[in-house]
Amino acid sequence: MPESPLSTAQAAREALASRLDGLRRDAGLTGHELAVRCGWHKSKASRIARARTVPSDADIRTWCEACGAGDQAADLIAASRSAESMYVQWQRIHRDGMRQVHESTVPLHERTTHFRVYASNVMPGMLQTPEYATGLLRSITTFQGTPDDVADAVRARMARSRVVHEGNHRFALLIEEAVLHYRVCEGPGLAAQLRYLQEVMARPNVSLGIIPLEARRTVWPLEAFYAFDDAQVAVETLTAEVNVTAPPEVRTYLRAFVELSRMAVYGAAARSLIAKALDSALS
């Protein structure tokens, strides 16, 4: 089963630090000598070598030049940027609002042919109605204290969600039953969301499974995650988005998806659970 979603990002940072420290050793330099050559306090070199401090592009260039390995700077900078993209804090992603991040992920959604989504807290983004998305994104904006561009972000989310109805895309979606009841918007809005769920699950390119509350758990509830083909998994935590691209970890999430799928109900049984939640939303 998946380890902490931070594991890939931390491993990538540690691998970068190890490569940098390897250059120092190959150059026959002590940590103090390296710091002097770089014009840094000796503690900075130590923190970078131990993956305690993330080096900037300039830091990596300076380090490589000090070790006589300037030709390796570009590769190490690329590795550093890749490591940083694996774990990105929501505060950073949303520092200018949420519209931009929705628009920036359109190419990923458009080139993905097989989506596998596990939703343990809210409806999958590509299935959200405008009112549901508005309630959710407004709550996120308020909690994070980031710029309020909710109306624009909702429009961008709806535009990105066209992949459900257009193009050659398949969706395997798993939702915990509790998600059907969480009121991230007012009752009528939740009812409209549930009706849309009933509508979209009839599409030939959509498979919707719901994991009942009383299901015997062979896999514990996990963080929500989105798998894009077999290449990438985006894991959503409270503070950050973790992008997993290492093949072994991607395979682990896909294995978890298969195991979770076995606990879900489909078809008429799933519709019955949605109808039950709909009655509750309207009461």
Side-chain angles (χ1 to χ4, degrees):
M1 293 302 100
E3 301 173 358
S4 164
L6 308 184
S7 59
T8 298
Q10 184 58 32
R13 290 182 180 130
E14 291 173 357
L16 173 67
S18 179
R19 290 177 65 184
L20 288 169
D21 201 43
L23 293 181
R24 175 192 63 77
R25 293 193 302 271
D26 290 345
L29 300 174
T30 66
H32 177 71
E33 290 168 340
L34 174 70
V36 170
R37 289 195 181 188
C38 292
W40 300 337
H41 190 281
K42 62 181 181 181
S43 65
K44 177 174 179 177
S46 176
R47 290 195 306 271
I48 290 175
R50 290 180 295 155
R52 298 289 179 83
T53 294
V54 177
S56 67
D57 292 358
D59 290 337
I60 293 173
R61 292 191 188 95
T62 300
W63 185 297
C64 289
E65 290 295 338
C67 296
D71 60 325
Q72 296 192 43
D75 181 52
L76 288 167
I77 287 171
S80 177
R81 291 179 180 177
S82 176
E84 284 307 291
S85 71
M86 291 178 184
Y87 181 88
V88 188
Q89 292 183 327
W90 293 121
Q91 287 279 357
R92 175 181 166 191
I93 297 174
H94 297 156
R95 64 181 179 271
D96 298 319
M98 289 184 283
R99 175 188 59 82
Q100 186 174 5
V101 70
H102 284 85
E103 293 177 345
S104 68
T105 52
V106 167
L108 173 61
H109 283 68
E110 289 183 339
R111 69 174 177 265
T112 298
T113 58
H114 190 190
F115 294 80
R116 277 159 286 192
V117 179
Y118 167 70
S120 56
N121 44 21
V122 297
M123 295 287 177
M126 67 276 295
L127 297 188
Q128 291 174 13
T129 60
E131 190 169 354
Y132 187 96
T134 297
L136 175 62
L137 298 186
R138 189 160 301 286
S139 295
I140 293 172
T141 295
T142 300
F143 184 81
Q144 293 179 348
T146 45
D148 185 348
D149 68 341
V150 170
D152 290 338
V154 169
R155 283 191 287 272
R157 175 165 288 197
M158 296 305 106
R160 189 182 67 181
S161 298
R162 287 200 299 263
V163 291
V164 177
H165 302 276
E166 301 174 0
N168 182 28
H169 309 281
R170 293 180 294 126
F171 297 85
L173 310 168
L174 294 176
I175 301 175
E176 295 282 353
E177 182 185 355
V179 173
L180 304 176
H181 296 268
Y182 291 149
R183 298 205 176 194
V184 300
C185 60
E186 297 301 325
L190 178 57
Q193 172 67 71
L194 293 169
R195 292 191 190 98
Y196 178 66
L197 197 61
Q198 291 175 322
E199 174 188 330
V200 78
M201 69 184 291
R203 291 187 56 82
N205 63 326
V206 175
S207 169
L208 175 67
I210 299 175
I211 302 175
L213 289 170
E214 68 273 14
R216 170 65 176 89
R217 306 296 306 210
T218 55
V219 178
W220 56 97
L222 305 173
E223 302 91 350
F225 63 84
Y226 291 69
F228 302 93
D229 291 320
D230 296 337
Q232 176 180 338
V233 177
V235 185
E236 298 182 342
T237 73
L238 175 64
T239 57
E241 178 182 78
V242 183
N243 289 293
V244 176
T245 56
E249 287 208 45
V250 170
R251 287 194 294 270
T252 300
Y253 274 97
L254 296 181
R255 176 190 164 202
F257 188 86
V258 170
E259 294 297 325
L260 289 162
S261 298
R262 292 179 177 142
M263 297 184 290
V265 297
Y266 300 84
R271 287 184 177 278
S272 177
L273 293 178
I274 297 172
K276 176 182 174 184
L278 183 56
D279 289 341
S280 177
L282 293 173
S283 63

